[in-house]
Amino acid sequence: MKVIRAKDSCEAGAFAAELIAAQVKQKPVCVLGLATGSTPLDTYAQLIAAYRAGELDFSCVRSVNLDEYVGLGPDHDQSYAWFMWHNLFERINIDPHNTHIPDGITANPDAECQRYDALIASLGGVDLQLLGIGPNAHIGFNEPGDAFIPETHVVELTDSTISANARFFASVDQVPRQAITMGIRAILQARKVVLIATGTGKAKAVCDAFWGPVTPMVPASILQLHPDFTLVADDDALSLTPSSN
Ligand code: GLP
């Protein structure tokens, strides 16, 4: 595991954007695994700026997103499809046909999960997977549990995740209770993994995940086993790690 320490979320976003930019320049026909949430917004802003400056070309890039809420379609302003379109895709020259997100309003979620894994395989897997981390150390929506789940699957969101994400909805009752998430296998098979963590709210999750034992109760801890994993974290997110004490 490599750790890149940033002074704040803006600098963390810039560091993560540099890693993604290097990937796109090195292999223009690459597959980027993308994440939602507040954390990657600085990264996406930097990528948009690099595109506008003529430094980056996304025309051949393919993307696969980690997850989507069950019940929310792309027209819902809290769907991850909406998030990606407005915060990245419409502002760069990626071909919308090359962007992929699980279908949250499918009539058959189990079939959608199988389709999504087949799609990732047909693209040749992920070259660089970007991740955030939940306060409970989830990645995508792989929630703490008794086992790591390899496949894309429908997940019952934990109370902790529902409360953490309620800030984006009018009330906690409106937060979907289920999501479709890429499983641990596709994440671990990505050739590079970059996880961004910022803020004191992520400090315990970061400490548990990367300075504690590998356990499905701390889903991000599995990344300790990845051969090319980079943690990009700011001082606040690293404030509970042994090296900070
Ligand atoms: C969400 C997403 C995750 C994200 C995490 C953290 O629920 N499913 O992919 O990493 O929670 O979100 P934020 O960056 O807003 O803290």
Side-chain angles (χ1 to χ4, degrees), residues 33-49:
L34 297 177
T36 53
S38 314
T39 309
L41 286 172
D42 286 316
T43 304
Y44 294 155
Q46 296 281 345
L47 292 176
I48 293 161

Side-chain angles (χ1 to χ4, degrees), residues 9 12-13 16-17 20 39-40 43 130-133 194-198 202 230-233:
S9 62
I20 296 169
T39 309
T43 304
L130 182 67
L131 297 169
I133 186 169
V194 176
L195 184 145
I196 316 171
T198 57
K202 301 295 172 65
T230 303
L231 169 65
V232 180

Side-chain angles (χ1 to χ4, degrees), residues 35-40 66-67 69 80 131-135 138-142 157 161 164-165 167-168 181 196 198 202:
T36 53
S38 314
T39 309
L66 283 165
D67 46 14
Y69 289 113
Y80 288 164
L131 297 169
I133 186 169
H138 72 213
I139 45 177
F141 270 131
N142 288 275
L157 300 178
T161 294
N165 290 2
R167 68 191 192 278
F168 299 113
T181 184
I196 316 171
T198 57
K202 301 295 172 65

Side-chain angles (χ1 to χ4, degrees), residues 101-199:
I101 301 180
D103 178 3
I105 51 172
T106 174
N108 188 338
D110 290 336
E112 173 61 6
C113 293
Q114 289 176 19
R115 182 195 72 84
Y116 207 66
D117 278 334
L119 168 79
I120 295 168
S122 75
L123 292 171
V126 175
D127 288 299
L128 185 155
Q129 178 65 57
L130 182 67
L131 297 169
I133 186 169
N136 64 359
H138 72 213
I139 45 177
F141 270 131
N142 288 275
E143 295 281 44
D146 295 336
F148 294 108
I149 302 179
E151 302 85 12
T152 296
H153 57 283
V154 176
V155 58
E156 303 289 329
L157 300 178
T158 62
D159 290 343
S160 134
T161 294
I162 291 166
S163 333
N165 290 2
R167 68 191 192 278
F168 299 113
F169 293 82
S171 78
V172 72
D173 299 334
Q174 293 185 15
V175 183
R177 268 37 187 177
Q178 291 183 317
I180 294 175
T181 184
M182 193 190 284
I184 291 298
R185 181 189 295 128
I187 294 172
L188 274 191
Q189 287 182 343
R191 288 175 270 285
K192 283 180 190 296
V193 178
V194 176
L195 184 145
I196 316 171
T198 57

Side-chain angles (χ1 to χ4, degrees), residues 58-82:
F58 292 89
S59 60
C60 296
V61 168
R62 281 90 172 110
S63 71
V64 285
N65 259 79
L66 283 165
D67 46 14
E68 181 59 283
Y69 289 113
V70 169
L72 302 194
D75 294 336
H76 191 290
D77 67 3
Q78 290 309 324
S79 72
Y80 288 164
W82 174 287

